[in-house]
């Protein structure tokens, strides 16, 4: 049986030793976004954010000499509990959506990220690698 586009969902999570507020705010501040929304060896030379529901964000990931724009629209901003936005890039559908929840608990905050709607399983697995790396870098933010 082959998975359909609507079946293709991924969830990654990590407990991070920080408050929900600190972690939530990191996703909306362009200068902080540059420091962790860059999986692997990518860097982010430019990021912008209009952090209101209906506002847009843009992240330019650079891999070697290639710039990879990632954009989206904030659909829900419920500080510090839940953030929902669309995820638009060369490797995703324009209606792909990301939901991040921040739950305080033992050891810090459990950050759970779920993305829905992929064109293929291969694309989903590529995003799994990316989001896992992003949460790893988020866990090392200081201050």
């Amino acid at each position: 049986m082959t998975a359909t586009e609507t079946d293709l969902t991924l969830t990654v999570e990590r407990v991070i030793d920080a408050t929900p507020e600190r972690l939530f705010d990191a996703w909306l501040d362009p200068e902080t976004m540059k420091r962790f929304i860059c999986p692997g060896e990518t860097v982010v030379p430019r990021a912008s954010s209009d952090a209101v529901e209906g506002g847009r964000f843009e992240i330019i990931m650079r891999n070697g000499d290639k710039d990879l724009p990632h954009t989206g629209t904030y659909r829900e901003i419920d500080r510090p509990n839940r953030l929902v936005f669309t995820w638009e890039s060369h490797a995703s559908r324009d209606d792909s959506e990301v939901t991040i929840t921040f739950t305080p608990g033992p050891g810090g905050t459990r950050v759970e990220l779920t993305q829905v709607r992929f064109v293929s399983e291969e694309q989903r697995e590529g995003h799994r690698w990316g989001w896992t790396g992003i949460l790893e870098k988020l866990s090392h933010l200081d201050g």
Side-chain angles (χ1 to χ4, degrees), residues 12 14 27 35-40 42 126-140:
V12 295
R14 184 178 183 106
W27 288 88
R35 295 171 45 208
F36 76 95
I37 304 181
C38 45
T42 62
H127 279 81
R128 184 183 311 280
W129 171 84
W131 291 124
T132 299
I134 286 169
L135 292 186
E136 169 71 19
K137 289 187 177 180
L138 179 64
S139 75
H140 296 294

Side-chain angles (χ1 to χ4, degrees), residues 21-33:
E21 291 82 1
R22 167 74 177 123
L23 297 171
F24 184 94
D25 292 347
W27 288 88
L28 300 178
D29 176 65
E31 290 305 312
T32 307
M33 292 161 62

